[in-house]
Amino acid sequence: MNDISQPPPSPNRATPPPPPPRKTRKQKALIAAGITFVALLAIGVFGAIADDGDEDDGKTVDRVAAPKTRTPEPSRTPTPDATPATPEPATEDSTPSERATPEATRENTEEAKTALLPDFVGKQLQAAQDAAQEAGFSNLTSHDVTGENRFQVYDRNWHICSQTPDPGAHAPDIQVDFGVVKNNETCP
């Protein structure tokens, strides 16, 4: 019988390496997502670095309510050709708001320094923040009332369980703190 066999491979020839395994669709998608994330992160970092910190660049709109203006009081120093100004006496039929008393003047100045804080309990966090800023409050914060200390990254996913201070008239610079939980959770 004829035994035909192939000659053994020569030791001088190397076998080619096997081709690299092909990437699956899932692996390709993860790589694309990673590249996109890194690109967006780089854009954000470079954007923050490029921002020189000018607060008044003319592009931002200040959402703080304009302060109430007071009418200037007449000068109390008498002029040579003018008679000294005397306050009008209060009459029986004048209302307390029409009388010029130190208490009324103090109330008017206190009224100018306060803003009305609405009740935001049960509202979406983002909507409440927008409304609070429109009411004149800009020092806003929020915290997770479940005790898990989760960050409120996307404010539209949270709703308000409590607020400090309570609704009412407050100084606009007071800190307003919202106690929140995720939209699909109930308040504790």
Side-chain angles (χ1 to χ4, degrees), residues 159-185:
H159 68 274
I160 299 174
C161 295
S162 64
Q163 77 180 50
T164 305
D166 291 330
H170 300 283
D173 61 348
I174 194 168
Q175 184 179 43
V176 179
D177 182 27
F178 297 119
V180 297
V181 295
K182 289 270 198 172
N183 285 341
N184 59 352
E185 300 171 349

Side-chain angles (χ1 to χ4, degrees), residues 27-114:
Q27 289 173 328
K28 290 179 183 179
L30 286 174
I31 291 170
I35 291 171
T36 303
F37 175 76
V38 170
L40 291 174
L41 182 64
I43 291 170
V45 168
F46 290 128
I49 292 171
D51 184 19
D52 59 1
D54 286 343
E55 292 181 18
D56 189 19
D57 60 0
K59 295 179 184 175
T60 59
V61 177
D62 199 14
R63 300 188 115 201
V64 177
K68 295 181 181 178
T69 57
R70 293 180 55 195
T71 55
E73 293 183 19
S75 174
R76 297 194 186 258
T77 55
T79 57
D81 56 328
T83 59
T86 58
E88 293 183 27
T91 60
E92 293 282 328
D93 57 348
S94 65
T95 62
S97 63
E98 294 174 344
R99 296 182 194 144
T101 63
E103 291 83 17
T105 306
R106 189 174 327 126
E107 287 173 6
N108 288 343
T109 58
E110 287 176 7
E111 191 176 290
K113 295 179 184 176
T114 62

